[in-house]
Amino acid sequence: MSLESATRERIETLLKDHRVVLFMKGTRYQPMCGFSAAATNTLNELLPDYHTVNVLEDQEIREGIKAFGNWPTIPQLYVDGELVGGADIIRQMYGSGELHQLFGVSAPDRTPPEITITDKAADAIRSGTANAQGMALHLEIGPDHSAGFQLAPASEHDIVVTANGIEVHFDPASAQRAKGIVIDWVSTMQGEGLSLKFPGAAGGVQSMSVQELKTRLAAGNITLIDTRPAQGRALAKPLPQARILEEEGHAALANLPKDTPIAFMCHHGISSRGVAEQFAAHGFTQVYSVDGGIDAWAAEIDSSVPRY
């Protein structure tokens, strides 16, 4: 792949002006792909400030950076003008402590967390991983307490915990956030699945019907947050009273008083519960997930709202 001299000069100027540069899809606070999100989540753990370049807004840089470092994928991390690598390498270096050393910060705390896995959750995990030969169960917990399980090869740098006969692998940051968590198997109106309860989430997440939401919105005693992505909001506009999670961000909304009654609404009431659990984990005491989401609102409250 050829690289025009003007594009090369632009990239070289960026690398000269900033010690740490991440070429990514989206921005540090609103990544637009999973790999870019993984990279920023890791860098955010270590650096208060670094420069990002949104390649989605600059086609020349998007293609040029691939040729510049002979690296075919995005994101790409550069430090002191040198290519470090993509999301997988960033993750590996974080787990090993090499990234901490590169940035001159303290080595990560590798103390294994104490966690609880209920019998129901353990049975479900054993059933779901029965055929996953050679793979390990990883649990990643982000800065906003968003959590996700995945099956992936084990790494020598993983922090490994065994609870109720189940082996769980963590990266250093996730391990620290996992202290005291309870992993359970729960059944809701939307289906069954694994659920994480954090020590700070004493009150947990409550369900709210669309009828109750209508009443409380009219009374002005609930803060409604729409958790849907932009494409969903384009198909059915948010309720007029709703604040938009994607636009305001977790950090801004997390600064609300901890006793603020908050209801989270998504498309069908599934993903909103996960977001609600994150806020409960941050100490919010009145947290609700709207059953059925905006689809239920359209079906039961306002037929003018499109269903999709």
Side-chain angles (χ1 to χ4, degrees):
M1 182 185 299
S2 61
L3 178 60
E4 294 184 1
S5 59
T7 305
R8 179 179 294 277
E9 289 177 7
R10 291 179 61 200
I11 294 173
E12 289 176 341
T13 298
L14 283 167
L15 300 182
K16 181 180 179 181
D17 290 346
H18 307 278
R19 184 189 177 219
V20 182
V21 182
L22 181 69
F23 296 88
M24 62 177 292
K25 294 179 181 179
T27 66
R28 175 178 181 176
Y29 299 104
Q30 192 170 359
M32 299 300 290
C33 80
F35 295 109
S36 292
T40 54
N41 283 344
T42 300
L43 293 177
N44 291 347
E45 296 285 344
L46 302 180
L47 298 176
D49 186 40
Y50 57 92
H51 190 71
T52 61
V53 178
N54 184 1
V55 301
L56 297 179
E57 296 181 345
D58 194 323
Q59 187 65 25
E60 288 184 0
I61 293 293
R62 181 176 184 173
E63 298 305 320
I65 194 62
K66 298 176 185 178
F68 184 85
N70 193 27
W71 191 271
T73 59
I74 303 292
Q76 294 183 25
L77 175 64
Y78 279 78
V79 178
D80 293 324
E82 298 292 331
L83 174 64
V84 174
D88 288 344
I89 290 178
I90 294 171
R91 174 186 172 86
Q92 292 167 11
M93 292 180 66
Y94 179 85
S96 69
E98 293 176 80
L99 207 59
H100 300 70
Q101 185 176 5
L102 179 63
F103 294 139
V105 300
S106 301
D109 183 349
R110 303 189 62 83
T111 305
E114 292 187 6
I115 68 174
T116 299
I117 301 178
T118 66
D119 290 341
K120 285 186 176 180
D123 290 342
I125 292 171
R126 290 189 189 97
S127 177
T129 60
N131 297 320
Q133 300 298 325
M135 306 294 277
L137 180 66
H138 295 255
L139 175 56
E140 294 186 8
I141 304 175
D144 58 2
H145 285 73
S146 58
F149 289 93
Q150 63 175 327
L151 289 171
S155 165
E156 61 178 316
H157 304 299
D158 291 345
I159 296 172
V160 183
V161 177
T162 300
N164 204 351
I166 302 296
E167 187 177 276
V168 184
H169 292 236
F170 297 93
D171 62 64
S174 296
Q176 296 310 303
R177 297 189 184 106
K179 291 179 178 178
I181 64 168
V182 176
I183 302 174
D184 197 5
W185 182 261
V186 298
S187 299
T188 68
M189 293 178 62
Q190 291 75 38
E192 297 182 315
L194 291 171
S195 173
L196 268 66
K197 183 176 181 180
F198 292 83
V205 176
Q206 304 177 62
S207 294
M208 177 178 286
S209 69
V210 289
Q211 289 83 5
E212 181 182 355
L213 175 64
K214 179 183 178 181
T215 300
R216 297 196 62 171
L217 286 174
N221 61 5
I222 192 76
T223 296
L224 176 63
I225 298 177
D226 194 317
T227 67
R228 294 176 298 149
Q231 55 266 39
R233 301 196 307 273
L235 295 171
K237 291 183 179 180
L239 302 189
Q241 305 94 325
R243 301 175 68 167
I244 310 304
L245 178 64
E246 192 173 68
E247 294 177 355
E248 297 196 43
H250 282 84
L253 294 171
N255 287 327
L256 291 168
K258 292 297 189 285
D259 60 352
T260 303
I262 307 178
F264 295 86
M265 171 181 275
C266 63
H267 187 194
H268 285 116
I270 300 174
S271 62
S272 61
R273 180 164 290 273
V275 178
E277 289 175 350
Q278 297 168 25
F279 277 74
H282 278 289
F284 285 86
T285 57
Q286 301 184 66
V287 183
Y288 304 86
S289 179
V290 179
D291 287 340
I294 199 164
D295 187 69
W297 182 274
E300 302 176 32
I301 305 297
D302 185 358
S303 61
S304 69
V305 176
R307 301 182 71 179
Y308 62 97

